[in-house]
Every structure is written in structure tokens, then in C-alpha cells.
Amino acid sequence: MNFHATSGTPEKQRTAALVVGVYEDEKLSPSAQRIDKASEGYVSRLIKQGDFAGKKGQTLLLFNLPGVKAERVLLMGCGQKDKVTAKDLRQSWSSAVKTLQTCGATEAMVCPLEAKTKDEELTQWARLIVETAEQALYRYEHTKSKKESLKKPLAKLTLLLEQRSQQPLAEQGIQWGQAIAKGVSLARDLGNLPGNICTPTYLADEARRLAKEYKSLKAKILEQAEMEKLGLGALLAVSRGSRQPPKLIILEYKGAPSKQKPIVLVGKGLTFDAGGISIKPGERMDEMKYDMCGGASVLGTMKACAELELPLNVIAVVPSSENLPDGAANKPGDVLTSLSGQTIEVLNTDAEGRLILCDALTYSKRYRPDVVIDVATLTGACVIALGAHASGLLSNDQPLADCLLAAGQTSGDRAWQLPLWDDYQQQLDSNFADMANIGGREAGSITAACFLARFTEEFRWAHLDIAGTAWLSGKEKGATGRPVPLLTQYLIQHAQEAKAS
């Protein structure tokens, strides 16, 4: 979809559809007030008659209002005026976009709910509008024989501002929103693909495709033989039960001088997880195709970064394999030697994500990174603790954690910090190796991060557990693309801070 910004008064815009906000208790946004005045109270009368209540997600399409040049006016319910949050606005705008998509309007204009007095508010509003619109219109069709088609789909959206001087701010938000939306869509597509298509080789080829699309990206793929030579014993042990060869996918973005230390993003790329010898229950095992959503979100973030041409150096490292039961698969009781030289007793083969991640984290050290952030659908315990609302965050560096939490708040892709205390480390004790790969039922998300922390002592590091946020189950089953918005916002903030200093 195309997005633009312009300025003018709502009632004078010649457009196929004009979107204005209405609150509960018969309260109109400034743009709705202008439409109501131009139409001699038409909107107010409808509300008083009970035809529209202004509740979140409610919409009402009006045609040919007197005194208004727009062909259609779409009333968008926003809830209680003094309690509207960014999340509420996303919900309301998502409903509005879906209505526009099916009403026959190929282009539309949207007005801000309130006058935006701060530059940041206007930019973030524009970004929210773009991201939410693209998310609402996303359709997965890669493996469907019949594609959904509309005769007149919504193709253009214009953000209507009060003043021309506001356009650069809105256009900045549009640029951010479009880049993030492209990254999110890529992550969702990769996550939604079935495991027989999206294999480690497919993910590696996707990295190569991104490198061909953007001159600022360069892809490098480590094959099994090279990983054996380097000693990535933990990653290779996980892949032994699969017919699919493992890959270590590296995608480098160069947007700054080489002397600037890179940010390294490590994404778990387990393209299907049956649990290995410690096999999972059959119920909902199909959803284990989503166990590569960490890798997918990292590739999506790299796409957004390249779109924005951020003045940073960023490196994605995606360890990718399958975890299946087989005569050659690693077994409970096996002892593995990781790339770091540390040994690991495998007590449960279904705790494999940390095994492929620990070698990738050790490999990342060679880049002398500024920070390393790993992203993984790592533990069911995180789902129990935080549900589908917030990703779990653990870090050995509080300033880094604070930056990621702030990025989550700004982007609406929130995280919640859990403790990474040494008190939990003893749960990983082993009689036969340097550590066990699980620490028991208690504090499962924390002990998983404690395991990873043993491979990150030489750099600033944060871990995002996205097991509850990477996909939805049930009626709306599908990948969400999180945490691409959080990660991209972090990179934007980092670039702004570097520029300011």
C-alpha cells in the first residue's frame, strides 16, 4: 500500500473515504467536529439516536454527507476519551482499515484523533497508522491454491494533517512504519510456512535473497563440514536426528564505518521441533514450525534496517536446524562439547534451543560486538509467566535492558524484565559435565537464560524469550512478527543516540 501525508481541512477533501474518530459519551474528535459542523449536525444526530456509540473497534460508514466533499465518511470508535492508549488506537484503526478494504474505496484519508503538539507524538502516530494498516491487511497465501482477491482493494492511504509544517514529521513516521511493516511481514511469512518448505536451507536462501535485494547486506552461510571443523558441537548435536543439513546463517549490514562496533542479533532458527528423543505430545505439535520465529524476526529486523539505511553496523547470526527423533539423534545423558569448550549434559533433548544458541553466541564474540541480543521461542515457562502480551527479557547489562524496555514501550511491542541472579545458577549443576541443559521445573525461563549467560560473559548481552509472543493459537493461528517492532525501534534509538553524541 502507498502512504502519504498532506495538510488541509477534513470537510474540503475530495477522497473516496475520510476516517474520523468518535469517542464514547457522544464526544467527537476535532476532525469529527468539523465534519459534524459542515454537515449541520448530521454526526451528532446519529449518535444521539443511538446509531453509533464510539466503542473501541466499532465503525460506521456514511455516504454523501451534506457539506462534506468526501464520498464516504467512516466513523471510527475510540472508546473513552480520557483512557485511550496506543493499544486502543491500534485496535480501532485495525477495524477501520478492514472496513475500508471491503467498502470499495481504493484510497482514503485518516485524521489524527487530537491535535499533535509534540514532534514525537506526530511521528509515532504516523508510524502506528502505517504499521497497523499493513498488519490488518496481511494475508498468508503462499501455500493456498486459491488467492483471495478484491475488485477494489485499498491501495492508498493519506494522513491528513492540520499544518503543512507537520508533513516532514509524519513522513518520518511513515518511513519507519513502512520499514517495520516490511520486516514484520517477512517474519510472519517465514513463521507461517510449513516445516517441509521452510527448512534450514530455505532460511539460508532467504538470507541470500535479502543480500541480493539490498546492497548494504552481505550473506555468509556456514555448512555442516565447516561447523564441524570449528567445533560447534552443541548445534550439530541437535541436528543429528534430521535429514536436513544444519546451517549457521550470517547476514551483515554495513551502514557505518568499520571502526564502529556492530550490534549482533542472534535468532533461534529451529525450523521444526518434535522434541527429539524427549518427544513432545502430539497435540498442537504442528505449531512447532514456529520454533524458528526468533530467526525469522532477526531476518525481518535486518530487512527493516536495510530499508531505513540506518547508520549502524548490525550482524544477524541464525543457527538453524531441526530437532527430530532418530537413531542418530542425541540422547538424554549425552555430554556435548560446545564451541566455547564448555561441556553440557543433555538431560532433556527438548531443551535444544539453548544448545544451538550457545554456539551461536560464542561465534558472535569474533565480531567484537557492542552488544549481543538473542531472540528465541525458548521456554513454555515464559508463556505461563507472561502469556501472549509481553516477551521475557533478561540481561547481564542493565542499561541495555533499559533501552530494550523503552523500545518496547515506544513500539507497542513490550517486554518484561525477569531476574538473572546467580542464585539460579546452581540449578544447572551436573555431576558429569560443566552444566546441565535444564534446571528443573522451577523458574524455567530464568534458568534457560542463566544457561545462555555462561556463554556471554565477555560482552553486553540481552535475551528475549518470545515463546508467548511469536505466534497466536486458535482461531487466529499465525505468526505475529514480534519482536521486529521492538528490535527495529531499539536500532532507531541507537542510531539517534550515536548521531547526537
Side-chain angles (χ1 to χ4, degrees):
M1 187 191 299
N2 293 317
F3 294 89
H4 303 277
T6 190
S7 59
T9 53
E11 69 276 12
K12 295 181 180 180
Q13 303 306 309
R14 295 187 182 277
T15 178
L18 180 71
V19 184
V20 296
V22 176
Y23 302 103
E24 292 182 30
D25 300 325
E26 302 181 11
K27 294 179 180 177
L28 305 180
S29 66
S31 55
Q33 290 174 18
R34 295 195 67 126
I35 294 298
D36 188 52
K37 182 177 180 181
S39 62
E40 298 182 350
Y42 190 95
V43 176
S44 296
R45 287 196 296 274
L46 279 177
I47 294 172
K48 287 179 180 178
Q49 290 168 192
D51 293 315
F52 192 73
K55 295 186 179 298
K56 283 185 293 185
Q58 185 182 13
T59 59
L60 181 63
L61 196 60
L62 308 176
F63 296 87
N64 301 317
L65 261 66
V68 178
K69 293 186 178 180
E71 296 172 19
R72 305 167 182 83
V73 172
L74 180 63
L75 303 185
M76 177 179 72
C78 302
Q80 297 181 33
K81 183 175 181 180
D82 57 346
K83 295 182 178 180
V84 175
T85 64
K87 182 180 178 181
D88 295 332
L89 181 54
R90 286 179 187 274
Q91 180 183 337
S92 298
W93 177 232
S94 180
S95 296
V97 170
K98 290 173 182 177
T99 300
L100 291 171
Q101 177 76 334
T102 57
C103 76
T106 58
E107 57 86 20
M109 286 187 166
V110 58
C111 304
L113 284 186
E114 300 296 332
K116 305 293 181 184
T117 55
K118 296 180 181 178
D119 293 357
E120 184 179 352
E121 284 182 359
L122 183 60
T123 301
Q124 291 300 333
W125 169 76
R127 169 182 159 173
L128 182 149
I129 291 296
V130 173
E131 284 185 56
T132 307
E134 293 288 14
Q135 183 172 348
L137 299 181
Y138 172 85
R139 296 291 180 273
Y140 172 81
E141 297 181 327
H142 293 280
T143 48
K144 294 184 177 182
S145 60
K146 294 182 179 179
K147 315 296 184 186
E148 183 180 345
S149 61
L150 295 170
K151 289 184 178 179
K152 290 185 176 182
L154 184 64
K156 179 184 175 183
L157 194 64
T158 302
L159 281 57
L160 185 60
L161 311 170
E162 294 178 332
Q163 304 168 19
R164 182 175 294 181
S165 61
Q166 295 175 317
Q167 282 184 228
L169 299 170
E171 286 165 359
Q172 174 73 85
I174 289 172
Q175 182 190 22
W176 288 353
Q178 286 181 306
I180 292 168
K182 287 179 180 179
V184 167
S185 291
L186 173 61
R188 294 180 77 178
D189 283 345
L190 291 173
N192 287 328
L193 283 169
N196 63 317
I197 293 176
C198 188
T199 62
T201 299
Y202 187 97
L203 274 187
D205 288 342
E206 183 60 39
R208 292 188 181 104
R209 281 192 288 270
L210 286 170
K212 286 184 179 179
E213 184 179 356
Y214 299 98
K215 292 181 180 179
S216 55
L217 294 176
K218 182 176 73 173
K220 176 184 177 182
I221 313 299
L222 294 192
E223 303 291 348
Q224 181 169 338
E226 192 169 357
M227 286 189 275
E228 288 173 350
K229 189 180 296 184
L230 289 171
L232 279 75
L235 192 164
L236 292 170
V238 172
S239 71
R240 284 206 303 257
S242 172
R243 302 294 187 271
Q244 294 290 337
K247 310 285 182 182
L248 187 66
I249 302 162
I250 299 112
L251 191 62
E252 298 185 33
Y253 169 81
K254 187 173 177 57
S258 300
K259 64 181 180 180
Q260 185 181 115
K261 290 184 175 182
I263 295 167
V264 176
L265 305 177
V266 177
K268 175 184 170 186
L270 207 83
T271 56
F272 191 80
D273 179 21
I277 297 299
S278 308
I279 195 166
K280 294 178 181 288
E283 184 182 0
R284 290 173 58 181
M285 192 192 281
D286 63 291
E287 295 186 7
M288 289 302 97
K289 69 177 185 178
Y290 295 119
D291 216 14
M292 43 66 68
C293 283
S297 67
V298 164
L299 293 179
T301 301
M302 295 300 284
K303 182 179 180 70
C305 184
E307 282 280 332
L308 292 172
E309 299 180 347
L310 294 177
L312 300 170
N313 294 326
V314 187
I315 300 172
V317 179
V318 180
S320 187
S321 72
E322 293 180 328
N323 185 31
L324 299 174
D326 183 80
N330 74 102
K331 308 172 295 296
D334 285 0
V335 174
L336 315 176
T337 301
S338 68
L339 178 60
S340 70
Q342 298 179 88
T343 58
I344 305 160
E345 182 185 11
V346 178
L347 296 181
N348 188 322
T349 65
D350 194 24
E352 82 302 321
R354 63 201 72 183
L355 297 179
I356 69 173
L357 285 170
C358 73
D359 276 351
L361 289 167
T362 301
Y363 187 87
S364 300
K365 188 171 65 174
R366 67 185 53 208
Y367 296 110
R368 298 180 180 177
D370 179 28
V371 300
V372 177
I373 303 165
D374 81 71
V375 188
T377 50
L378 204 62
T379 65
C382 195
V383 184
I384 300 302
L386 299 176
H389 304 292
S391 299
L393 169 65
L394 300 99
S395 179
N396 63 9
D397 185 80
Q398 193 55 47
L400 172 59
D402 290 340
C403 287
L404 288 168
L405 290 169
Q409 287 290 346
T410 300
S411 64
D413 184 6
R414 294 178 294 178
W416 186 261
Q417 188 171 7
L418 298 168
L420 191 67
W421 300 335
D422 286 340
D423 309 57
Y424 295 99
Q425 286 285 357
Q426 63 184 2
Q427 290 179 232
L428 297 171
D429 288 349
S430 167
N431 291 339
F432 308 104
D434 296 332
M435 70 195 84
N437 76 323
I438 57 171
R441 291 177 60 84
E442 297 85 3
S445 299
I446 296 171
T447 55
C450 284
F451 176 92
L452 297 176
R454 298 189 181 200
F455 302 86
T456 63
E457 293 177 353
E458 296 181 38
F459 46 78
R460 298 165 62 210
W461 159 77
H463 163 65
L464 285 168
D465 192 331
I466 61 169
T469 56
W471 79 91
L472 299 174
S473 299
K475 184 180 178 182
E476 297 184 0
K477 182 189 288 188
T480 63
R482 297 177 66 182
V484 172
L486 184 159
L487 291 173
T488 308
Q489 177 61 34
Y490 169 76
L491 295 178
I492 290 171
Q493 289 174 186
H494 198 85
Q496 290 174 332
E497 290 168 4
K499 185 178 179 181
S501 61

